[in-house]
Amino acid sequence: MLHFQKWKLILVFGIVVAGLLFALPNVFPAATMERMPAWLPHKQVNLGLDLQGGAHLLYQLDEKEMVGDWLNTTRGDVRETLRRARIGYTDLQLNVANRSVSVKIRDAAETDKAYDELRKLAQPVGGNVFSGFSGYDMDVAKDGNDGISLTITDVGLTHRMGAAIQASIETIRRRVDAFGTTEPSIQREGRDRVLVQVPGIQDVERLKKLIGETGKLEFKLVDPSVNAAQVAETKQVPIGDELIYGNPPSGAPPGSPQIPYVLKSQVLVSGQNLVDAQASFDQRTGEPVVTFRFDAAGAKRFAMVTQENVGLPFAIVLDNKVISAPVIREPILGGTGQISGNFTVQEANDLAVLLRSGALPAKLTVIEERTVGASLGADSIESGKKAALMGLALVMIFMLVGYGLFGLFADLALIINIVLIFAVLSLIGATLTLPGIAGIVLTLGIAVDANVLINERIREEIRAGKSPFAAVDAGYSRALITIVDSNVTTLIAVLVLFWLGSGPVRGFAVTLTIGVIASMFTAVTVTRLMVAYWLRWTRPQLIPI
């Protein structure tokens, strides 16, 4: 029926007005919107990398480093497990190439007991809702009469790699957010890669440095019994120690060599216990520093370490590089401290971001880099505008010439459709890309398909001798099923694109999905409302279609 209930009229009018309000910020510059009343929506559509310019970085996770860290942890677990079970052992080694840790049991009679204890280190790896249990992350096997080996399984490596990539994505996102950019795209690519796209970024080198740093913070004791310079020259590092270098002291001439430190291998406190890190200034010297704060467990451990080692140098190590090695003057009981290292203000800020965001599971290496200039993005926007306006003009002219007044109604609905697309994009915070503009242009043609079907159906009803009211009512009612069917099939195809695609393909799918749904509303409901009120006001004897 052409009769509209009052609540339906209010609903349609409300949707259109809300669309206009949410689309409004995209018409004016950001500076103009800041002067608008606070109750008006101010959120604009986010522009993608190809429209705004920015950085495209593809990173690869260092699988060898990740496996090495895992094996080192496993070696420590083996040592602790055998010690707790009071089982003597010798020759505890790891082999990164074979992804294994091996140990010899001192008393062959205790091999079975040791095997049972070490089997507990293997963790089950879950599959999915269809496959269920997939196996264990490590294969524990006897090697001769007194040997036991723990080997990382393929299932375990795949599971650990997936977890490491996910953790890397979350860490990268926290680091990129510190730049204040809008809608960075960070997603997994393949088995061991992460794609980072940051629109609008200016300092790409700083971004690469901030993302590429592993951010692994460790606190270790300096071995005071060893001459670091001599060890650095002979490369003969005592057992239980390690040789690590640090930057030259403040005031050293440019090109000065790095300072060697011989540190105890044991990590006394790690950055995993950090809950906050902020850039600040030293109250005595005024130099930029980074203040940090531990959680309860870290604060307790830090207090105990500083109590037991008063008077000894305490090295702060970031990514296997000594930042500073101050002497512990007194116990630090509050769980807070500061890191100084001849920083600039920006370096202190970046270090604070690294520590707050947490460490990466392994090193990330850039294997592909592209930078899109802002001028190229502006050219893309201008080309997209021209294409959209040309398509809109041609479609509107076609409808107006082909269907007269009813074509005008369809043109008005088409404009409302575009308004709703930008309103929804702004509301959900979606990113508009160049393929997304292509989706909008395609929507311009799809949106009037429904009106073409309706208008042709009305013509058939008029030829059959029906009155204007009956012809219009039958045209909308009988064309509705066909319109719904055609749009649903389009939506299915677009949703598959969104599900299986990535990047530009998803941008195209998002705008086309919003456009198709909006067209079903505007082409059927909005134009029907226009036609219904036109019929009531004019009571025509013939329909100009």
Side-chain angles (χ1 to χ4, degrees), residues 12-252:
V12 172
F13 184 75
I15 292 174
V16 174
V17 171
L20 288 170
L21 291 176
F22 279 102
L24 185 65
N26 300 292
V27 178
F28 301 102
T32 303
M33 290 306 302
E34 290 177 359
R35 297 193 295 269
M36 295 288 186
W39 57 269
L40 280 174
H42 286 68
K43 192 173 182 181
Q44 295 181 319
V45 172
N46 299 313
L47 298 180
L49 187 69
D50 50 359
L51 298 181
Q52 191 179 163
H56 169 107
L57 303 170
L58 183 62
Y59 286 91
Q60 185 172 36
L61 192 72
D62 191 333
E63 181 178 321
K64 185 176 180 180
E65 180 181 329
M66 187 196 71
V67 170
D69 289 343
W70 188 0
L71 293 176
N72 272 317
T73 302
T74 302
R75 181 170 58 178
D77 292 341
V78 169
R79 183 185 296 115
E80 182 63 28
T81 300
L82 296 179
R83 189 174 297 166
R84 190 171 56 248
R86 300 179 183 276
I87 300 174
Y89 64 91
T90 60
D91 198 21
L92 177 57
Q93 297 182 351
L94 63 84
N95 188 322
V96 176
N98 295 332
R99 303 189 325 224
S100 65
V101 173
S102 60
V103 62
K104 296 288 185 181
I105 306 302
R106 184 176 290 117
D107 185 354
E110 292 186 310
T111 302
D112 290 339
K113 180 182 177 182
Y115 174 75
D116 292 337
E117 291 294 329
L118 294 179
R119 280 187 62 187
K120 299 175 183 177
L121 297 179
Q123 299 296 317
V125 177
N128 51 47
V129 293
F130 300 105
S131 62
F133 175 70
S134 298
Y136 288 91
D137 62 350
M138 304 199 79
D139 179 31
V140 183
K142 294 179 182 179
D143 186 11
N145 294 328
D146 59 351
I148 299 174
S149 64
L150 295 86
T151 305
I152 297 173
T153 63
D154 292 338
V155 172
L157 182 59
T158 300
H159 180 266
R160 182 64 67 98
M161 179 65 74
I165 289 293
Q166 188 58 42
S168 298
I169 290 174
E170 294 171 1
T171 301
I172 292 171
R173 188 175 301 280
R174 288 192 291 267
R175 294 181 183 182
V176 173
D177 286 345
F179 281 82
T181 58
T182 57
E183 285 300 312
S185 173
I186 306 168
Q187 58 190 9
R188 181 174 182 172
E189 288 282 325
R191 179 175 178 270
D192 58 353
R193 297 178 181 182
V194 178
L195 176 62
V196 181
Q197 293 181 321
V198 186
I201 190 73
Q202 301 298 326
D203 193 346
V204 179
E205 289 302 318
R206 183 187 173 202
L207 175 68
K208 287 168 57 180
K209 182 180 178 182
L210 194 59
I211 294 177
E213 295 283 353
T214 306
K216 188 177 181 180
L217 183 69
E218 298 172 328
F219 295 83
K220 299 181 177 182
L221 282 176
V222 177
D223 190 343
S225 65
V226 179
N227 187 320
Q230 185 177 355
V231 171
E233 184 177 349
T234 62
K235 304 299 181 183
Q236 294 180 356
V237 183
I239 297 175
D241 288 353
E242 57 186 1
L243 178 65
I244 299 180
Y245 290 85
N247 289 330
S250 176

Side-chain angles (χ1 to χ4, degrees), residues 16 21 37-38 84 88 111 131 150 167 188 195 209 303 310 336 369 372 380 400 408 413 456 466 476 492 505 527:
V16 174
L21 291 176
R84 190 171 56 248
T111 302
S131 62
L150 295 86
R188 181 174 182 172
L195 176 62
K209 182 180 178 182
V310 173
T336 61
E369 176 184 354
V372 180
S380 299
L400 196 60
L408 177 61
E456 290 298 330
K466 289 188 177 181
Y476 275 94
I492 291 172
V505 176
T527 58

